Amino acid sequence: ASLFLSPGSESFIVGDSFSVELGVDTAGLPINAAQTTIYFPPDIVEVLSISKDNSIFSLWPKTPAFSNSAGEISFIGGLPHPGFNGKGNVITINFKAKKEGEALFSFDESKVLADDGKGTNILVFIKGAKYFIYQPEKIGLEATTTLPRIFSPTHPNENEWYSNNTPRFQWSLIKDIKGVSFVFDKNPDTIADTVSEGLLNFKNYDLIPDGIWYFHLRLEDESGWGETFHYRIQVDTNPPYPFEIIIDNAGDSTNPKPNLYFETKDDTSGIDIYKIKIGEEKFIDLMLAQINPFPTSLLRPGNYKIIVRAIDKAKNIVQTKTSLDIDPIETPEINIWPEKYVAGEETFYIEG
């Protein structure tokens, strides 16, 4: 199953209100509950309200709540047997853009529980979101015939990867423009033809395949057709491959500092970072050079739940989990000791 935020990327003007949906995809397995905590940057955006309308859940052990001071949204939701199977909305979060910046939305430890009578956590994939907040004057990009200016509110940085596969392109038309031609393909050097598509100032595309794409725009005025301007976008909607965690305690179940091994790959944008959570500690970030092995800190005897997330450059996430048991050392047993001991007169000796 997967949890995801929609839209995955978008641009907004300071002062705008906008909505973000948290969705779930059960991947063919009925579910009856889910819980998560979503983090957002409270200095850039603030929550106005949370709506449970149209939610797949009807029971709320923990009603959706938010804190604009901590930048957190959390809930626990559920529904009776036979549960829900498919793709649906969990909650809708209404935000306001406060100031210019990049707003990254991420998840803390999350669960999606199967309707199997056992409460099995079947969550595997998580998809966060990335929103760009601009000052109003930076959205409008004036055009000239020879070099039109393109802006993509869904993919505003040509050098970054996005999980949004429904791109939008927009541009301004000066009063002398009488023709607009555009092409969208994977060739960086395509020249748009001289057949006008009409006096359009935007174009949307739906559900494009992953990869690097180019939007080519050309404008016509009284003097003829100008040069073609090219705009690149990079799309990756798929998470990294599933993987396993291998625990190496050097054959000693009492080893308080075992090594962990894990690694995966991502075909399109590549792995950006790993996150790991051991027991009740918070997630910590790991660069690629910090794994294989990853030595744990010194751990007391006990059972620890380990969660590792692999995050690609488009912020798609795959997570895996395992359990680590550290046994206590055996209690020492003393077999030989002196029945009488005089301090300072003899050596104290015990054996066991």
Side-chain angles (χ1 to χ4, degrees):
S2 61
L3 288 172
F4 57 91
L5 295 172
S6 179
S9 64
E10 188 61 86
S11 296
F12 303 100
I13 297 174
V14 173
D16 277 353
S17 297
F18 62 96
S19 296
V20 176
E21 290 190 359
L22 172 64
V24 62
D25 187 342
T26 70
L29 297 175
I31 67 167
N32 60 17
Q35 70 179 79
T36 192
T37 297
I38 301 170
Y39 296 121
F40 63 91
D43 58 324
I44 298 177
V45 298
E46 65 179 353
V47 178
L48 299 177
S49 62
I50 299 176
S51 173
K52 304 192 298 287
D53 295 344
N54 303 315
S55 175
I56 64 169
F57 294 137
S58 55
L59 306 175
W60 298 96
K62 180 179 179 181
T63 301
F66 63 88
S67 168
N68 278 325
S69 57
E72 294 182 4
I73 302 162
S74 59
F75 73 90
I76 302 175
L79 74 166
H81 181 75
F84 172 81
N85 189 3
K87 184 182 292 187
N89 172 265
V90 178
I91 56 174
T92 300
I93 312 158
N94 301 304
F95 288 94
K96 181 178 181 179
K98 292 173 60 178
K99 76 171 189 178
E100 188 173 22
E102 181 179 275
L104 295 177
F105 285 49
S106 61
F107 291 81
D108 198 352
E109 184 176 354
S110 307
K111 296 179 180 179
V112 176
L113 304 183
D115 186 52
D116 59 359
K118 303 175 183 177
T120 304
N121 184 8
I122 59 172
L123 179 63
V124 178
F125 303 128
I126 299 173
K127 184 177 292 186
K130 180 165 42 178
Y131 304 117
F132 299 84
I133 312 302
Y134 288 90
Q135 294 293 343
E137 63 271 14
K138 295 188 178 181
I139 291 292
L141 296 175
E142 292 301 321
T144 66
T145 302
T146 56
L147 189 61
R149 299 292 304 279
I150 304 170
F151 175 74
S152 174
T154 55
H155 301 72
N157 189 327
E158 293 183 80
N159 297 315
E160 291 196 11
W161 286 90
Y162 299 88
S163 61
N164 188 339
N165 63 352
T166 57
R168 177 182 176 90
F169 304 94
Q170 57 194 55
W171 55 92
S172 295
L173 298 178
I174 59 177
K175 63 180 180 179
D176 295 330
I177 297 299
K178 66 176 187 178
V180 176
S181 176
F182 49 79
V183 181
F184 186 55
D185 60 22
K186 291 196 169 186
N187 185 346
D189 302 315
T190 295
I191 303 299
D193 61 29
T194 55
V195 179
S196 177
E197 304 283 349
L199 292 179
L200 305 176
N201 63 356
F202 72 93
K203 178 63 178 178
N204 297 326
Y205 295 93
D206 293 326
L207 304 178
I208 66 171
D210 287 0
I212 300 176
W213 293 81
Y214 297 86
F215 183 77
H216 316 277
L217 177 68
R218 195 175 183 186
L219 303 180
E220 179 191 22
D221 66 4
E222 296 297 334
S223 63
W225 288 94
E227 300 177 18
T228 298
F229 184 69
H230 313 280
Y231 191 96
R232 182 177 69 181
I233 65 169
Q234 303 181 136
V235 176
D236 181 4
T237 61
N238 292 304
Y241 287 103
F243 62 101
E244 295 181 348
I245 304 169
I246 298 174
I247 300 172
D248 179 12
N249 61 9
D252 179 3
S253 63
T254 68
N255 185 349
K257 194 180 170 97
N259 286 327
L260 304 180
Y261 292 83
F262 50 85
E263 190 172 19
T264 185
K265 66 176 183 176
D266 184 86
D267 287 339
T268 307
S269 62
I271 300 296
D272 182 40
I273 199 170
Y274 289 91
K275 290 179 177 285
I276 187 169
K277 175 181 172 69
I278 300 177
E280 299 303 318
E281 299 296 321
K282 292 183 177 294
F283 278 101
I284 61 171
D285 294 346
L286 299 177
M287 305 304 293
L288 302 188
Q290 293 178 278
I291 66 170
N292 291 347
F294 170 73
T296 69
S297 58
L298 286 172
L299 301 172
R300 294 179 179 273
N303 175 265
Y304 297 86
K305 181 170 61 175
I306 300 176
I307 301 174
V308 177
R309 291 177 175 174
I311 307 173
D312 67 22
K313 294 176 182 176
K315 305 309 177 186
N316 300 303
I317 302 172
V318 61
Q319 76 170 24
T320 190
K321 50 188 177 292
T322 191
S323 180
L324 168 63
D325 289 306
I326 298 180
D327 295 333
I329 61 174
E330 294 184 6
T331 303
E333 182 178 329
I334 300 175
N335 300 317
I336 300 176
W337 64 92
E339 294 183 2
K340 183 179 179 181
Y341 172 71
V342 179
E345 296 183 6
E346 56 186 318
T347 301
F348 183 75
Y349 175 82
I350 62 173
E351 183 177 311

